Amino acid sequence: MPTALVTGVTGQDGSYLAELLLKQGYKVIGMVRRTSTINFDRIRHIQDEIEIAQGDLLDQLSLISILQEYRPQEVYNLAAQSFVPTSFSQPVLTGEFTALGVTRLLDAIRIVDPSIRFYQASSSEMFGKVREVPQSEDTPFYPRSPYGVAKVYGHWITVNYRESYDIYACSGILFNHESPRRGLEFVTHKITSGVARIKLGLSKELRLGNLDSRRDWGYAPDYVRAMWLMLQQDNPDDYVVATGETHSVREFLEESFGHVDLDWQEFVVQDDSYYRPAEVDLLVGDASKAGRQLGWEPSVSFGELVRLMVDADLEYWQRQLKRDAASSA
Ligand code: NAP
Ligand code: GDD
């Protein structure tokens, strides 16, 4: 039974990747950092099937100790400070987690077992002010946020350790991917949760920032499959993972409010406080290399993604309403 370590297992991608690895017969070690309140909402259903190891990307010794104790063959580094606006207010902390954290983990691999296969969660945010359309593995980076800058560092240190120390290290340049498990601060889930609340009479408005930016939005479970595939090849490499379609935030609004027969323009309020100091206007990926070499392709369309997220939020808020009604009865 192969063993895999997943950092960021409590996050959106970590939870889906842990499910996939369990299905493939892996022993899964999920690294979690110490918090005063346990935050296992996304992994509660598989909590008994995985092992939890305490560690932090800020703490070198904890990373070395986990590798020494569990001896994984594969390490997936999904942990990061992943919210772009926070990277503007906490740029140094973002650099510590999202940039230097990658080197700490790669150094731990180099010290404990350089034969470990390593996946780095790189991001389309590295393309920032895009140099070409669509973006591929050969497109130059031009990050537009401290988060994007940190991810560029993480990408290049992964390439550098592969070339310097012959580590099987891959960087997956993943475009935005969403699901009902997406953090509520990200625009897709903020919108679909808002739509459900408005439909059920729990909210009257939805405050948002820039509606013109365009993203290449895919479905998270498809994207974790690409991560796993990258570590199963003969040679390590870097891959763009994307749907190849781009849509604006405005289109996301039309589709999601339209799904419940509402007109988004009656409810959305534009709020300057959600604008960023620098914006990434347009992302659209060319995943043809992943298609050719990994046999990967997305399985969920933009419309399907929006609808499944709205439906999941409607179900969630209906359940909450029933619970509230039962407890006040
Ligand atoms: P997410 O939901 O924000 O999850 C981030 C995870 O990182 C959480 O489990 C968090 O733990 C953990 N973490 C944060 N700081 C840590 C630290 N110092 N030590 C240990 N763990 C730490 O992110 P996601 O959407 O699943 O994304 C996974 C990875 O892919 C991230 O690296 C992200 O930057 C990257 N990425 C995401 C997308 C996307 O569209 N989702 C696209 C490209 C790249 P807590 O639960 O304790 O906070
Ligand atoms: N979060 C948020 N909240 N975004 C808003 C809002 C709002 O109220 N209103 C408009 N937007 C716009 C943002 O300005 C941005 O252009 C777009 O919606 C998407 O924002 P997010 O959903 O926060 O995602 P992101 O593209 O900045 O970053 C995500 O994708 C990256 C991959 O490109 C994150 O998951 C990153 O971790 C990931 O690397």
Side-chain angles (χ1 to χ4, degrees), residues 1-21:
M1 184 193 265
T3 300
L5 172 71
V6 179
T7 75
V9 75
T10 55
Q12 171 189 255
D13 291 5
S15 65
Y16 285 119
L17 179 64
E19 280 174 14
L20 176 105
L21 293 170

Side-chain angles (χ1 to χ4, degrees), residues 238-260:
D238 308 321
Y239 298 89
V240 158
V241 179
T243 70
E245 263 188 43
T246 187
H247 296 275
S248 65
V249 175
R250 190 174 275 101
E251 286 166 35
F252 198 102
L253 285 169
E254 278 161 11
E255 193 81 26
S256 49
F257 276 87
H259 182 48
V260 295

Side-chain angles (χ1 to χ4, degrees), residues 71-247:
R71 293 280 166 182
Q73 286 81 45
E74 296 176 10
V75 170
Y76 296 84
N77 183 35
L78 310 188
Q81 191 301 95
S82 71
F83 191 45
V84 171
T86 299
S87 79
F88 284 103
S89 55
Q90 300 181 9
V92 173
L93 188 66
T94 300
E96 286 286 350
F97 287 7
T98 306
L100 287 178
V102 187
T103 312
R104 291 192 192 96
L105 195 47
L106 282 164
D107 271 341
I109 288 174
R110 207 154 64 87
I111 291 165
V112 177
D113 179 4
S115 76
I116 289 173
R117 294 188 168 207
F118 177 76
Y119 172 84
Q120 167 57 16
S122 291
S123 165
S124 52
E125 187 71 15
M126 302 190 300
F127 296 121
K129 191 170 178 179
V130 297
R131 307 284 87 190
E132 63 179 349
V133 178
Q135 297 86 50
S136 73
E137 294 79 6
D138 300 321
T139 304
F141 300 139
Y142 193 140
R144 293 274 278 173
S145 63
Y147 168 81
V149 173
K151 283 289 180 186
V152 171
Y153 174 94
H155 170 81
W156 282 117
I157 201 72
T158 300
V159 174
N160 182 261
Y161 272 48
R162 176 168 79 217
E163 294 175 355
S164 305
Y165 306 115
D166 206 21
I167 293 175
Y168 186 112
C170 298
S171 169
I173 307 174
L174 272 50
F175 283 62
N176 299 50
H177 45 279
E178 319 294 317
S179 74
R181 294 187 202 165
R182 183 60 140 154
L184 275 168
E185 67 276 36
F186 297 94
V187 79
T188 54
H189 204 183
K190 183 173 172 180
I191 293 173
T192 59
S193 180
V195 167
R197 288 177 57 83
I198 289 168
K199 184 71 184 173
L200 297 172
L202 294 167
S203 290
K204 290 193 163 45
E205 64 172 33
L206 177 60
R207 303 186 83 82
L208 293 170
N210 180 11
L211 306 187
D212 295 318
S213 58
R214 304 183 71 84
R215 291 290 183 273
D216 180 329
W217 278 297
Y219 183 46
D222 283 342
Y223 286 50
V224 302
R225 189 160 34 84
M227 298 175 187
W228 176 74
L229 284 168
M230 284 180 217
L231 296 203
Q232 313 311 313
Q233 306 304 305
D234 290 338
N235 296 301
D237 209 340
D238 308 321
Y239 298 89
V240 158
V241 179
T243 70
E245 263 188 43
T246 187
H247 296 275

Side-chain angles (χ1 to χ4, degrees), residues 270-287:
Q270 275 193 274
D271 182 334
D272 288 349
S273 67
Y274 291 109
Y275 278 74
R276 298 169 182 189
E279 180 60 282
V280 172
D281 297 320
L282 162 71
L283 290 175
V284 56
D286 170 3

